[in-house]
Amino acid sequence: MNPSSSYPATQVVKRYRRIEEIIPSHWSEGDVVANGIRHHYYRTGRDRPPVVLLHGFLEGALSWLRTARALEQDYDVILVDARGHGRSEGIAAGFSQALLTEDAAGAIRALGLGKPRVLGFSQGGTTGIHLTDAYSDLVHSLIVEGAGDTDSPSADFTQSAGYRAWLSAYIAWLEPLKSQAHEDRMVSALSQLPPGAPVPPEEEYVTWVENCARLDPGLVRLGATLWGTLGERVSEAAQALRRVTCPVLMMKSSFFPQPGMPQSLQEERSDQSNLKIVRFVNTGHLIHREQFDQFIALVRGFFLETVS
């Protein structure tokens, strides 16, 4: 279904398929116990070099669906739900960067992936940095997307009336989502789109709604606390990155792109010989959605450059 259809938005999303129909039938999925809890994963399979995808905060493994499809011709792509997300266990045992790092290491070991390539977005990118720093024997090479962008919101904004109002409304929307029928979920999620925004394509929209429905509510309530420590966590990740010796590609963007301004790619100077930095100028935080073709081209090129 083309979102630009003349149908009203509600009619468009009512025709979107269930997530089970969108996930490729030849993919496998399952659970592994890592770091003391159960983690869910999806895997494209076949005898090819493994690539582990780590998603962002309040997302889920299925947010990587389009990326995995683009890479599976050449790689065995493994999409892992972080704790509190997707079909992995919740956060009753805790939620911290240290736990996320150990979770990722444990999942790689439990799945017998050897030394995979790792691609992480936002929180997943930060986890990828700490994973590679702590366990260099588990990472072949690392791609970090949208972690530590310099113009990210300050911690103060979580205390604003606007943020508190948004969070309250978001939680109120999430609570009934888990028990709603598919069609009702699709229609309900329209209320969360920015005013005037087009309805996203089926694959993007359905995976986003399903990721929301599967979130641990306690994790959502942690959001303000995590934003409050953002500066500290960015600094820790930067220090860890300096200790990493394997090849690293860092993709940077902006939380606040300027509407109507041109987009471009610029390679930035790096003072680490193993680190390549590419900035997506005037592109928002979600690079892999806003600039998918350029994103995939960079990922493929980097993997080919670091084939050994």
Side-chain angles (χ1 to χ4, degrees), residues 96-159:
S96 67
Q97 184 56 67
L99 288 172
L100 292 173
T101 301
E102 293 302 320
D103 290 349
I108 289 172
R109 293 193 187 102
L111 289 167
L113 301 180
K115 198 170 183 177
R117 295 161 172 79
V118 174
L119 164 56
F121 165 67
S122 198
Q123 175 66 69
T126 301
T127 297
I129 291 172
H130 287 287
L131 168 71
T132 310
D133 174 36
Y135 300 103
S136 60
D137 60 316
L138 294 181
V139 180
H140 171 278
S141 52
L142 173 66
I143 299 178
V144 178
E145 175 201 356
D149 288 340
T150 55
D151 67 340
S152 57
S154 69
D156 294 341
F157 94 101
T158 62
Q159 305 303 316

Side-chain angles (χ1 to χ4, degrees), residues 24-231:
S25 59
H26 63 276
W27 288 14
S28 62
E29 64 177 297
D31 298 292
V32 292
V33 175
N35 196 25
I37 69 168
R38 178 184 53 78
H39 295 268
H40 195 76
Y41 68 91
Y42 303 85
R43 188 169 186 174
T44 65
R46 302 176 185 172
D47 186 19
R48 291 165 184 173
V51 174
V52 173
L53 304 184
L54 304 176
H55 63 78
F57 184 64
L58 301 186
E59 290 200 317
L62 292 174
S63 62
W64 287 119
L65 186 64
R66 189 181 182 193
T67 297
R69 276 180 159 168
L71 295 176
E72 68 172 317
Q73 180 179 350
D74 301 303
Y75 301 96
D76 176 11
V77 187
I78 301 93
L79 307 78
V80 184
D81 282 320
R83 63 172 61 208
H85 300 76
R87 297 200 182 283
S88 290
E89 280 191 45
I91 62 169
F95 186 86
S96 67
Q97 184 56 67
L99 288 172
L100 292 173
T101 301
E102 293 302 320
D103 290 349
I108 289 172
R109 293 193 187 102
L111 289 167
L113 301 180
K115 198 170 183 177
R117 295 161 172 79
V118 174
L119 164 56
F121 165 67
S122 198
Q123 175 66 69
T126 301
T127 297
I129 291 172
H130 287 287
L131 168 71
T132 310
D133 174 36
Y135 300 103
S136 60
D137 60 316
L138 294 181
V139 180
H140 171 278
S141 52
L142 173 66
I143 299 178
V144 178
E145 175 201 356
D149 288 340
T150 55
D151 67 340
S152 57
S154 69
D156 294 341
F157 94 101
T158 62
Q159 305 303 316
S160 69
Y163 176 81
R164 291 196 298 269
W166 170 83
L167 182 61
S168 177
Y170 183 62
I171 292 174
W173 170 69
L174 283 177
E175 287 175 343
L177 201 63
K178 291 182 183 294
S179 58
Q180 287 176 350
H182 170 73
E183 189 174 291
D184 293 334
R185 282 183 181 177
M186 296 296 103
V187 174
S188 171
L190 290 172
S191 67
Q192 302 301 303
L193 295 179
V199 179
E202 179 186 65
E203 182 177 276
E204 179 182 325
Y205 187 80
V206 175
T207 52
W208 164 61
V209 177
E210 289 302 311
N211 284 334
C212 290
R214 298 174 183 183
L215 288 172
D216 182 333
L219 184 67
V220 180
R221 294 183 175 89
L222 274 180
T225 301
L226 293 174
W227 276 114
T229 61
L230 179 62

